[in-house]
Amino acid sequence: MGVTKRKRGRKPQSPTPSEPPPSSDDVFSPSPSSSAPSRSLPNGAAAAIGGNEGGELCGRALPAMDAVVKVFCVHTEPNFSLPWQRKRQYSSSSSGFLIGGRRVLTNAHSVEHYTQVKVKKRGSDTKYLATVLSIGTECDIAMLTVDDDEFWESVPPVEFGELPALQDAVTVVGYPIGGDTISVTSGVVSRIEILSYVHGSTELLGLQIDAAINSGNSGGPAFSDKGSCVGIAFQSLKHEDAENIGYVIPTPVIQHFIQDYERNEAYTGFPILGFEWQKMENPDLRKAMGMKPDQKGVRIRRVDPTAPESAVLKSSDIVLSFDGIDIANDGTVPFRHGERIGFSYLVSQKYTGDSSAIKVLRNSEILNFNVNLTAHKRLIPAHNKGIPPSYYIIAGFVFTTVSVPYLRSEYGKDYEYEAPVKLLDKLLHSMPQSPDEQLVVVSQVLVSDINIGYEDIVNTQVFALNGKPVKNLRILAEMVENCDDEFMKFDLEYEQIVVLRTSIAKAATPDILATHCIPSAMSADLKRTDTSQI
């Protein structure tokens, strides 16, 4: 959790020329048989780098090009607005490359909500069925494998290199715009910093290169002039005042993803520190907080109550160092010669479950703590990670939980400006008070005689049922199913209430479901007794 807050309100007509906003190319390449133009995906997916169609000519031939494959995926996305359905399936193509251990790397958004994945080698006319081993949502990397031994014949895997320096040459290879022949683009590293990963809704180390980003080449490797892989192309900057700016996932992030999978046989994510902080650049602020002239650090604004750090850290603590590395007043730490980077980089180098040393200043006293790092859960999650949306229906009232995909489904890609202020405030600022807390809303009311007068209730949070708080959707479903009171009274946002006669509401539900062709009054996860999915 960082300190930067995006402004909300009326959507700006044009971005400020001096500060073009980072954005994702947001497009897949459609299947070759499709006549439709490239379209923007609702999951914030990014495209990757491509360009000069021409095979092996880009200064010199790269032997590792033979390890670059084309990835074909059929996607079937959940319908978050109608959670008992799925959307019409569609196809996309992207790129990937072979690594050791009979594995293939590509972008997570290239195979998100996959139904079937196939891969094709360079110069081959055969598509091989692939198995998805792991999807790293935050880092936008996915790992595949192919069971057919023929696929792995005569193709050496890509070797990874070190993090490049500024102005180092990079060559990006892949299959842009859905092309069937390999494409090569050259550029140089123009910046190394903490980037916003559009698909993952997180901030990790990234490379900026001066090469154009085109659709269809997601997951293409970036090679150094020595022929080693230094990253995966994954998103671009689209702005009228900026050209040829692409972004690459660097090797430290890639290696973290691979080692995380090898350690746990699953993707566990990148840990974060469970608190928000502010800079301490103002001298009066530092003096008021009891800091000595030679002390530097950042002030904790508030701590996530569900994070392990909440047991030892408090609001207004000054974080002086992380794992022995001093933090500056602007929240940066030394990176490489002549460079500094946000201290969240140090945290992202760790693995979930690791212990880290944190030195803080509290009431002019220096304290040292060891905290276990974990990937914290947000009140409104950025992703559903492949799990179908949950829902519960009673008397035509459709209850569900709010997530970023849900907001995008309801309000479009500009949900950050179009969604209700109450929901946006919770998205940006609210922290869960318990690990199983969810934001439950009435998403819509399926009109029936029993719910006359309630038809206009849309996307309104539910606080309580008959005076008992609604902490998550499972609890709400259980309370309704077990309710034997004469009336059910729902307390909603904006001081609204909904009152239904219990017996009539339960009796009317099957007819309402039949009218709207809904197979069940609740999603499959609510039917299970296992509460670990909450």
Side-chain angles (χ1 to χ4, degrees):
M1 298 180 183
V3 295
T4 304
K5 296 296 180 186
R6 292 170 290 179
K7 295 181 179 179
R8 296 289 176 263
R10 184 179 297 276
K11 182 183 178 183
Q13 297 300 313
S14 61
T16 304
S18 60
E19 293 186 6
S23 65
S24 166
D25 195 6
D26 248 28
V27 282
F28 277 121
S29 175
S31 61
S33 61
S34 172
S35 61
S38 297
R39 64 184 181 84
S40 180
L41 284 181
N43 63 359
I49 295 177
N52 306 322
E53 194 77 33
E56 296 182 349
L57 294 179
C58 188
R60 65 183 186 84
L62 290 172
M65 282 195 208
D66 288 340
V68 181
V69 299
K70 188 171 183 179
V71 179
F72 301 86
C73 184
V74 178
H75 310 257
T76 309
E77 297 181 357
N79 189 334
F80 289 90
S81 296
L82 301 173
W84 52 87
Q85 299 181 356
R86 282 187 173 267
K87 296 181 180 178
R88 184 184 183 93
Q89 70 180 25
Y90 65 93
S91 301
S92 72
S93 65
S94 55
S95 302
F97 57 96
L98 279 60
I99 63 171
R102 293 169 61 101
R103 296 172 294 187
V104 177
L105 290 187
T106 185
N107 279 143
H109 70 257
S110 298
V111 295
E112 187 177 39
H113 304 305
Y114 68 91
T115 300
Q116 184 184 76
V117 181
K118 295 180 180 180
V119 294
K120 184 175 75 171
K121 294 192 294 184
R122 181 186 182 193
S124 172
D125 61 351
T126 304
K127 297 178 182 177
Y128 298 86
L129 278 174
T131 301
V132 178
L133 297 177
S134 179
I135 296 179
T137 305
E138 290 87 353
C139 59
D140 201 2
I141 305 175
M143 182 186 295
L144 320 175
T145 190
V146 176
D147 293 333
D148 196 326
D149 294 335
E150 183 184 47
F151 176 80
W152 304 100
E153 293 177 358
S154 306
V155 181
V158 164
E159 299 293 335
F160 288 105
E162 297 180 351
L163 185 70
L166 293 177
Q167 295 188 328
D168 278 2
V170 290
T171 302
V172 184
V173 184
Y175 295 87
I177 322 297
D180 286 326
T181 54
I182 210 164
S183 174
V184 178
T185 301
S186 289
V188 298
V189 177
S190 56
R191 181 176 292 173
I192 303 174
E193 62 179 351
I194 299 295
L195 294 176
S196 175
Y197 281 45
V198 175
H199 175 72
S201 298
T202 189
E203 294 183 346
L204 296 169
L205 184 68
L207 305 180
Q208 176 181 304
I209 63 175
D210 62 347
I213 297 247
N214 298 306
S215 64
N217 196 7
S218 299
F223 294 109
S224 68
D225 54 5
K226 297 179 182 179
S228 58
C229 177
V230 295
I232 304 174
F234 75 119
Q235 65 186 36
S236 68
L237 178 65
K238 294 297 184 182
H239 186 263
E240 58 184 4
D241 294 328
E243 296 180 356
N244 293 354
I245 296 180
Y247 296 106
V248 173
I249 304 170
T251 46
V253 178
I254 300 172
Q255 294 287 8
H256 188 288
F257 169 80
I258 295 173
Q259 293 176 21
D260 184 21
Y261 176 79
E262 291 175 347
R263 284 185 179 190
N264 305 289
E265 297 184 354
Y267 173 74
T268 63
F270 287 73
I272 61 173
L273 288 174
F275 59 78
E276 296 177 348
W277 54 272
Q278 75 173 91
K279 298 178 180 179
M280 295 293 291
E281 295 177 306
N282 185 276
D284 293 336
L285 177 60
R286 292 198 299 273
K287 188 172 183 179
M289 297 301 298
M291 297 177 66
K292 297 178 181 178
D294 60 337
Q295 289 179 327
K296 297 181 179 180
V298 295
R299 174 185 173 269
I300 295 178
R301 293 166 49 204
R302 55 180 182 157
V303 183
D304 184 343
T306 66
E309 294 88 338
S310 63
V312 292
L313 300 181
K314 298 180 179 180
S315 176
S316 290
D317 282 352
I318 308 298
V319 182
L320 304 176
S321 70
F322 179 86
D323 272 349
I325 300 177
D326 293 338
I327 301 173
N329 290 323
D330 62 353
T332 62
V333 294
F335 183 48
R336 298 194 297 190
H337 178 71
E339 299 178 53
R340 297 187 68 83
I341 198 168
F343 81 94
S344 62
Y345 168 71
L346 301 177
V347 185
S348 67
Q349 294 294 98
K350 311 288 283 188
Y351 294 86
T352 55
D354 286 356
S355 179
S356 293
I358 297 180
K359 181 192 292 186
V360 302
L361 180 70
R362 180 185 299 166
N363 299 326
S364 300
E365 180 184 359
I366 293 179
L367 303 174
N368 292 281
F369 300 109
N370 285 319
V371 297
N372 291 323
L373 300 177
T374 183
H376 303 310
K377 183 179 179 180
R378 303 177 184 177
L379 179 61
I380 298 182
H383 287 271
N384 287 61
K385 298 185 178 181
I387 301 174
S390 300
Y391 71 91
Y392 178 73
I393 301 175
I394 181 71
F397 286 80
V398 181
F399 299 94
T400 189
T401 59
V402 179
S403 62
V404 171
Y406 176 79
L407 293 176
R408 191 179 287 115
S409 175
E410 287 286 290
Y411 301 102
K413 63 181 180 180
D414 294 326
Y415 68 90
E416 293 170 309
Y417 304 98
E418 303 295 337
V421 173
K422 291 275 191 180
L423 292 182
L424 290 177
D425 178 68
K426 292 178 174 65
L427 170 66
L428 293 172
H429 305 296
S430 292
M431 293 180 174
Q433 299 303 305
S434 62
D436 61 348
E437 184 178 359
Q438 295 175 317
L439 199 157
V440 180
V441 295
V442 178
S443 65
Q444 61 176 310
V445 179
L446 306 174
V447 177
S448 175
D449 292 344
I450 192 174
N451 52 48
I452 290 176
Y454 299 137
E455 303 92 343
D456 296 331
I457 299 177
V458 177
N459 292 331
T460 305
Q461 185 178 359
V462 184
F463 289 122
L465 170 59
N466 288 348
K468 297 179 181 179
V470 174
K471 190 167 62 170
N472 56 55
L473 188 58
R474 181 186 294 276
I475 288 178
L476 173 64
E478 290 176 351
M479 286 195 295
V480 172
E481 292 293 310
N482 298 326
C483 181
D484 54 7
D485 295 341
E486 182 181 3
F487 294 100
M488 291 186 293
K489 176 187 174 185
F490 297 90
D491 294 315
L492 310 182
E493 187 78 83
Y494 309 110
E495 305 298 327
Q496 295 185 82
I497 63 170
V498 168
V499 177
L500 300 170
R501 190 177 294 274
T502 304
S503 58
I504 298 178
K506 292 183 177 181
T509 300
D511 289 339
I512 296 174
L513 297 178
T515 300
H516 293 272
C517 301
I518 301 173
S520 175
M522 65 179 71
S523 52
D525 61 313
L526 297 182
K527 296 178 182 178
R528 296 193 298 264
T529 57
D530 178 17
T531 58
S532 63
Q533 297 296 323
I534 289 295

